[in-house]
């Protein structure tokens, strides 16, 4: 006996198809010779566990008779569930009779004298739940010759015919009819007797069936009419091929009860079927009953054994009964096939298909709605210009650079110098690239152009003509920006037919010239000067930085009288270069952030500047001197970018930009998100531990429940055997005629309890296995114990310091919502440095200008007639006042290009005071600080091919202290950066201590013996510089890009009769799209020069 696991009890529930046995005439090709109407539908042959022995399967008399005769005894148990007050439930059948037919329940073929007995089960000593099952084989029975008697109710000719049904062809086909697994139950009204047909005569068969073959029996009966019996005959074929004649008597009474009697060799067996309702010719009632059964089985949720008990007899005029026999042999015998569930399977497939379609449709709707929401959100964010798309560009660039780096590693012909070829930005290839280099769209007019050329803007047919002229003029200028472009020299370069409109060419030229798209920077002017106004206005420019120098050159080019006032002894302001012999280093502005669209590209070509690209590879070193693994650096950098994206979502999607009425900074948001991440990790750990405990508790409960259940299985099995033996003894005493239905009911009930216990045991074992698998997976996927290791947090702090360097401010001071508002306007190309120092640019711009050095502006009085400024002389020794005398100068207007830090300090007095909108913008906007430590050596001890390397601090507070070293000079010079809070703290520390700290870091990285003492050094303190008071501007918490626009707006006198502004403002803090950059300062100077000239000279074009 197979002592399998308990979950094997119901392994035989799935169906698989088997062909019918071969006929006698054509043993090999019987299946191929059947007509379409005669084709049979295969049944399922599930696996079963064989019976222990014939004594456990058959009653003693049957076993003895089987041994004497040497023939198998055919036996089928019929399962009936016929409630007293309810109609019989229909069972799915494999064939559909030609006339009014319904499915009749399966019956067991046993002698009438023998009671129903359940299948044998193993002895208590052998009990293993899954090993106790039925052992059965099917009887091989062929039908008798077709009857010629016409049924009472004829079926219409157009009635659909099932391929498995008997048709009116007069032939009877052999249909494999499934038999249910033996699950006895207590009947509601009367126990259904078992049917057993001993063979009397043999029918010719092609081959004697083996003990494992399953051949159904078909009994033909004419339709029964109410009150009158209908008698017919049937031929039963045994396993050995012997045929026996049987008489079938069918009778239906007035109450709808149908009685079927089968007589074989004088033995009579009867069965009663309740509510025998005739069906219509189309088989509608049969389908109805089948649907009812399907619904009840699907809704029951019970094991298959219980579903089988629900399958009851359905009245039919033609009885199609499936019989099974029990083989007394101890060998493995396949279990009887189960009934095919074609309609049920088809219905389930249709329902599942419909459900899948519904789910797909719902999913599509959800996806569409989600896409709509995302598109709306993206459109909204883009329209407000608040979404950090620039950061996405940076990430995309980093990804592209990483991919390019991988290609370089495998490319043997790679030359590092080829990577930094930015010559394409110095000379445009075509008109489109010329417009791009000038920051203009090549295919449409800008807003300013639409205002200036309203007549052309309103006539769209003239747009291509205007755009060609504009782009052609830009192209001609950029081809050779070292000399002035004139209308006369540009006209021959305009191709026909555009050059015919000479007036428009002049207007477009004057527009581009006035607003600094052409003829700016340092170039050779023509001998013919521009026409000057009748009365030359005088303009004072305060501050000789890049913005002031650019504006002064433009104003002077337009014929205005310009004078610059500079408090320092040199020009450039925050663009200054340290030079000592061969050692050169920029102390202020240092980086050219791309040449694509950058006006510095024109200056680089005009001044023949040697630009050196910065290699972006930056290895990091811990404070111990050990290099940070690249994998850790990349992992933390990805997490850092993810945190930044989370702050963007927090600000723009959740609209969390203030707490308790105070604006939230980027640093605060990052710390909040980091704390949430730490909390999430802890919660995930707790949840993981809690789930493991719950699984272990469930396993303990299951194990505690399995032991008593195992004992219950033994007890139920023992009780079943006792009742079975008692019933057999009682049957022997009463004889074959008298049946003890009470004893049968007890045996069936005990058998049912035993099966239910098996099922419960199987369910617990299956649940235990699933929980053990789940527990194993959870043990293999233990969540991280911490969000970040200390080493990873140090690297994260380094990336934060790098962001503080980019903004010249601590993250705690940056606006959460608007800190990156200018990212969309980042120039393309590599970042570069000027080999000879950035100060060469202001030095060249200052040539030919009237500049008063060492003169500081301390007051401005402005009115309807002009302005009057008060100045004081500055000492070159200590940046203090040289004397107590002041001097006043008058002019038509004043252009203030002093740093925002000076305006915030309110050292400069205005009369009348500046309007509130101006002072509020000055207060809201931030002005940051960034310092440098220049270390000059006699030799290079680091890798000169690496331009950048970082130092990772072990403290969050000091993360910006000497965090990045630059090696961008051909001389042995290192520049260490100090950013964030450390940039302000370091200004109170002596130079020796700062240099000593830098040397400690270098010696930890490169070795004490390798690193010499620097021969020269220089430490900046921009916050302490009285003429700067900081480095450059940033968008502070509570500020926005609008404040840049307010800082750029000119100021007119209060109650001025003319309403003309007298105060103009330029500088990197006044240009919204390009703040904190040298090119931004230059563009602001070009903007204000055009604005001032328009006011005092008039527009150069007529509309």
């Amino acid at each position: 006996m197979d002592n399998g696991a308990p979950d094997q009890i119901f392994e035989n529930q799935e169906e698989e198809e088997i062909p019918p046995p071969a006929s006698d005439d054509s043993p090999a090709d019987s299946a191929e010779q059947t007509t379409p109407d005669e084709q049979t539908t295969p049944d399922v042959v599930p696996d079963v566990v064989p019976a222990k022995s014939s004594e456990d399967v058959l009653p003693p008399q049957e076993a003895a008779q089987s041994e004497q005769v040497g023939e198998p005894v055919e036996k089928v148990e019929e399962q009936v569930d016929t409630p007293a007050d309810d109609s019989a439930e229909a069972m799915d059948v494999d064939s559909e009779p030609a006339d009014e037919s319904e499915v009749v329940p399966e019956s067991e073929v046993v002698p009438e004298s023998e009671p129903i007995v359940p299948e044998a089960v193993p002895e208590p000593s052998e009990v293993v739940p899954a090993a106790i099952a039925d052992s059965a084989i099917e009887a091989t029975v062929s039908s008798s010759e077709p009857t010629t008697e016409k049924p009472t109710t004829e079926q219409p000719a157009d009635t659909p015919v099932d391929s498995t049904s008997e048709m009116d062809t007069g032939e009877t086909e052999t249909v494999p009819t499934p038999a249910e697994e033996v699950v006895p139950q207590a009947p509601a009204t009367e126990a259904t007797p078992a049917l057993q047909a001993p063979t009397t005569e043999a029918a010719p068969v092609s081959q004697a069936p083996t003990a494992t073959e399953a051949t159904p029996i078909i009994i033909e009966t004419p339709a029964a009419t109410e009150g009158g019996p209908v008698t017919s005959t049937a031929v039963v074929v045994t396993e050995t091929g012997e045929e026996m004649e049987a008489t079938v008597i069918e009778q239906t009474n007035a109450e709808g009860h149908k009685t079927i009697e089968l007589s074989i060799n004088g033995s009579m067996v009867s069965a009663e079927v309740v509510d025998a309702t005739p069906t219509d010719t189309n088989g509608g009632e049969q389908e109805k009953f089948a649907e009812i059964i399907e619904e009840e089985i699907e809704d029951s949720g019970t094991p298959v054994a219980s579903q089988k008990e629900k399958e009851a007899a359905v009245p039919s005029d033609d009885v199609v009964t499936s019989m099974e026999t029990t083989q007394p042999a101890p060998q493995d015998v396949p279990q009887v096939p189960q009934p095919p569930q074609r309609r049920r399977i088809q219905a389930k497939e249709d329902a599942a298909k419909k459900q899948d379609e519904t789910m797909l449709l719902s999913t599509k709707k959800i996806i569409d709605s989600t896409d709509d929401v995302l598109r709306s959100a993206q459109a909204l964010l883009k329209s407000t210009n608040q979404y950090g798309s620039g950061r996405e560009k940076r990430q995309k660039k980093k990804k592209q650079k990483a991919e390019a780096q991988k290609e370089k590693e495998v490319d043997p012909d790679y030359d590092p110098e080829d990577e930094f070829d930015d010559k394409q930005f110095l000379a445009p290839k075509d008109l489109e690239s010329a417009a791009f280099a000038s920051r203009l769209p090549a295919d449409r007019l800008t807003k300013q152009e639409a205002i200036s050329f309203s007549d052309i803007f309103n006539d769209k047919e003239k747009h291509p003509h205007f755009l060609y002229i504009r782009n052609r003029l830009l192209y001609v200028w950029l081809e050779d920006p070292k000399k002035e472009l004139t209308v006369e020299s540009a006209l021959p370069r305009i191709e026909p037919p555009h050059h015919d409109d000479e007036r428009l060419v002049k207007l477009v030229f004057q527009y581009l010239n006035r607003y600094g798209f052409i003829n700016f920077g340092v170039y050779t002017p023509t001998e013919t000067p521009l026409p000057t106004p009748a009365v030359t206005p005088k303009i004072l420019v305060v501050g000789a930085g890049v913005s002031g120098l650019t504006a002064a050159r433009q104003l002077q080019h337009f014929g205005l009288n310009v004078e610059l006032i500079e408090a320092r002894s040199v020009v450039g302001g925050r663009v200054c270069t340290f030079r000592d012999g061969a050692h050169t280093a920029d102390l202020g502005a240092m980086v050219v952030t791309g040449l694509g669209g950058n006006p510095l590209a024109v200056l680089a070509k005009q001044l023949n500047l040697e630009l050196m690209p910065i290699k972006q590879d930056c290895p990091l070193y811990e404070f111990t001197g050990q290099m940070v693994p690249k994998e850790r650096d990349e992992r933390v950098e990805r997490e850092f970018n993810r945190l930044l994206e989370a702050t963007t979502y927090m600000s723009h999607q959740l609209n969390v930009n203030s707490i308790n009425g105070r604006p939230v900074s980027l640093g605060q948001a990052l710390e909040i998100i980091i704390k949430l991440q730490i909390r999430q990790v802890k919660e995930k750990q707790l949840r993981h531990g809690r789930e493991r405990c719950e699984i272990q508790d469930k396993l303990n409960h299951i194990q505690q429940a399995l032991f008593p259940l195992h004992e219950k299985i033994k007890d139920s099995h023992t009780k079943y055997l006792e009742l079975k033996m008692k019933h057999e003894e009682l049957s022997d005493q009463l004889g074959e005629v008298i049946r003890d239905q009470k004893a049968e009911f007890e045996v069936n009930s005990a058998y049912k309890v035993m099966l239910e216990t098996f099922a419960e045991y199987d369910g617990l074992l299956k649940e235990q296995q699933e929980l053990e698998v789940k527990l194993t997976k959870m043990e293999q996927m233990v969540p991280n114990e911490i969000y970040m290791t200390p080493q990873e947090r140090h690297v994260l702090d380094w990336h934060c310091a790098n962001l503080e360097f980019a903004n010249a401010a601590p993250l705690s001071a940056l606006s959460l919502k608007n800190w990156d508002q200018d990212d969309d306007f980042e120039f393309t190309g590599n970042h570069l440095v000027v080999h000879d120092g950035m100060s060469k640019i202001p030095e060249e711009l200052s040539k030919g200008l009237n500049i008063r050095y060492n003169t500081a502006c301390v007051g401005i009085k402005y009115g309807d007639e002009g302005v009057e400024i008060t100045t004081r002389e500055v000492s070159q020794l200590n940046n203090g006042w040289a004397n107590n005398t002041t001097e006043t100068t008058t002019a038509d207007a004043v252009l203030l290009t002093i740093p925002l830090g000076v305006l915030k300090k309110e050292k400069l007095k205005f009369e009348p005071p500046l309007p509130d909108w101006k002072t509020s913008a000055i207060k809201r906007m931030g002005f940051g600080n960034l310092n440098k430590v220049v270390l000059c050596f006699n030799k290079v001890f680091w890798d000169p091919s690496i331009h950048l390397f970082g130092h990772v601090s072990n403290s969050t507070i000091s993360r910006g202290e000497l965090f990045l070293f630059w090696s961008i000079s051909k001389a042995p010079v290192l520049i260490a950066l100090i950013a964030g809070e450390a940039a302000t703290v370091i200004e109170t520390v002596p130079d020796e201590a700062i240099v000593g700290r830098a040397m400690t870091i270098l010696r930890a990285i490169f070795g004490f013996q390798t690193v010499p003492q620097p021969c020269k050094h220089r430490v900046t303190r921009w916050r302490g510089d009285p003429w700067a008071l900081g480095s450059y501007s940033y968008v502070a918490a509570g500020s926005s890009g609008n404040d840049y626009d307010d800082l750029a707006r000119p100021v007119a006198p209060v109650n001025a009769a003319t309403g003309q502004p007298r105060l103009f403002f330029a500088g990197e803090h006044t240009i919204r799209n390009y703040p904190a950059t040298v090119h931004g300062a230059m563009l602001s100077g070009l903007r204000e020069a055009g604005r001032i000239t328009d006011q005092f000279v008039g527009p150069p074009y007529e509309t």
Side-chain angles (χ1 to χ4, degrees), residues 311-333:
E311 294 179 356
V314 179
S316 174
D317 294 326
D318 287 348
V319 181
V320 181
T321 308
S322 175
M323 299 184 180
E324 64 179 8
T325 62
T326 305
Q327 176 68 21
Q331 294 88 356
D332 291 344
V333 181

Side-chain angles (χ1 to χ4, degrees), residues 278 346 401 433 503 532 553 596 627 640 680 721 850 880 1022 1032:
Q346 185 63 34
K401 288 180 180 179
S433 60
R503 174 180 173 275
T532 58
R553 289 187 70 87
M627 180 179 289
F640 177 67
Q680 185 179 15
L721 291 179
N850 180 17
W1022 286 107
Y1032 42 87

Side-chain angles (χ1 to χ4, degrees), residues 575-608:
V575 178
C576 61
T577 303
F578 167 79
R579 292 186 177 91
D580 191 336
H583 300 100
T584 303
D586 282 313
L587 302 178
M590 179 171 59
V591 181
V592 178
T593 57
L595 293 179
N598 196 331
L600 294 181
V602 175
L603 280 177
K605 194 170 183 180
Q606 290 172 340
L607 304 177
N608 297 320

Side-chain angles (χ1 to χ4, degrees), residues 49-369:
V49 180
K52 178 181 177 183
S53 64
S54 62
E55 287 75 15
D56 290 334
V57 177
L58 299 176
Q61 287 182 348
E62 298 180 24
Q65 181 181 358
S66 175
E67 291 176 0
Q68 294 174 2
V69 179
E71 298 175 354
V73 181
E74 301 161 353
K75 174 181 176 183
V76 174
E77 270 191 23
E78 176 181 327
Q79 302 173 19
V80 183
D81 188 3
T82 54
D85 298 325
D86 197 3
S87 61
E89 296 176 336
M91 181 177 69
D92 292 336
V93 295
D94 194 38
S95 61
E96 196 173 276
D99 52 0
E100 300 175 353
S101 59
E102 291 290 344
V103 180
V104 180
E106 303 179 32
S107 302
E108 259 188 37
V109 183
V110 296
E112 187 178 16
S113 60
E114 293 298 334
I116 297 176
V117 291
E119 296 286 334
V121 295
E123 297 298 333
S125 61
E126 299 177 336
V127 171
V128 175
I132 302 178
D134 308 337
S135 296
I137 61 172
E138 293 184 352
T140 303
V141 184
S142 65
S143 62
S144 62
E145 292 297 323
T147 177
T148 58
E149 184 177 353
K150 192 172 183 178
T152 305
T153 305
E154 296 184 357
Q155 183 175 355
D158 57 350
T159 302
V161 179
D162 193 343
S163 62
T164 61
S165 301
E166 252 182 300
M167 305 304 295
D168 291 335
T169 58
E171 299 178 1
T172 304
E173 68 178 278
T174 303
V175 182
T177 307
E180 294 290 348
E181 181 185 355
V182 179
V183 184
Q185 68 174 26
T189 56
E190 179 183 5
T192 304
L195 301 179
Q196 180 171 344
T199 60
T200 56
E201 60 181 282
V205 293
S206 61
Q207 176 180 336
T210 62
T212 59
E213 289 179 342
T215 306
I217 179 172
I218 297 180
I219 301 176
E220 287 187 298
T221 63
T225 58
E226 180 178 348
V230 177
T231 304
S232 60
T233 60
V235 177
V236 178
V237 182
T238 66
E239 292 284 331
T240 59
E242 182 180 359
E243 294 186 356
M244 299 181 66
E245 184 175 356
T247 303
V248 180
I249 303 174
E250 180 180 356
Q251 183 174 2
T252 304
N253 58 19
E255 298 179 356
H257 292 241
K258 179 183 290 186
T259 302
I260 301 175
E261 295 181 353
L262 180 64
S263 176
I264 303 176
N265 291 342
S267 298
M268 181 68 69
V269 180
S270 64
E272 182 179 1
V273 183
V274 183
D275 295 340
T277 305
T279 62
D280 55 15
T281 57
N282 293 325
E285 285 297 322
Q286 181 178 357
E287 296 178 357
K288 178 179 179 182
F289 282 120
E291 292 173 358
I292 294 173
I293 289 297
E294 292 172 12
E295 293 175 358
E296 292 188 3
I297 290 176
E298 292 174 356
D299 296 337
S300 64
T302 59
V304 179
S306 300
Q307 296 176 11
K308 291 177 180 178
E309 293 173 7
K310 282 190 172 185
E311 294 179 356
V314 179
S316 174
D317 294 326
D318 287 348
V319 181
V320 181
T321 308
S322 175
M323 299 184 180
E324 64 179 8
T325 62
T326 305
Q327 176 68 21
Q331 294 88 356
D332 291 344
V333 181
Q335 194 175 3
V336 293
Q338 297 186 16
Q341 309 291 340
R342 289 184 183 81
R343 294 192 191 89
R344 187 181 308 164
I345 293 173
Q346 185 63 34
K348 288 182 178 179
E349 290 178 353
D350 294 342
K353 184 177 180 181
K354 185 175 181 180
Q355 184 178 6
D356 291 342
E357 292 176 353
T358 304
M359 291 179 64
L360 288 173
L361 183 60
S362 302
T363 304
K364 185 177 183 300
K365 290 181 179 179
I366 293 173
I367 293 174
D368 292 342
S369 61

Side-chain angles (χ1 to χ4, degrees), residues 398 616 618-621 628 633 636-637 640 791-805 948-953 955-956 958-965 979:
K398 289 180 180 179
Q616 296 299 318
C618 180
L620 301 183
Y621 296 90
V628 176
D633 181 23
V636 175
E637 184 178 11
F640 177 67
Q791 293 79 9
E792 290 173 338
R793 180 57 201 250
H794 295 159
V795 177
L796 180 68
D797 285 333
W798 186 91
H799 286 284
C800 291
N802 195 37
L803 186 59
E804 291 175 335
F805 152 58
L948 307 169
F949 61 90
H951 161 246
V952 178
S953 176
S955 172
T956 300
S958 61
R959 64 191 179 194
E961 178 184 324
L962 303 169
F963 80 100
L964 185 63
F965 289 81

Side-chain angles (χ1 to χ4, degrees), residues 857-862 868-869 894 896 898 902-903 906-915 918-919 922 1051 1063-1065:
C857 179
V858 296
I860 298 177
K861 182 178 180 181
Y862 60 101
E868 180 183 284
I869 66 171
V894 60
L896 289 174
I898 58 178
V902 178
L903 291 174
E906 298 182 355
K907 284 187 175 182
L908 183 59
K909 304 300 180 182
F910 292 91
E911 184 182 349
L914 294 176
K918 177 71 76 171
T919 56
I922 293 173
V1051 175
L1063 298 181
F1064 297 86
F1065 298 84

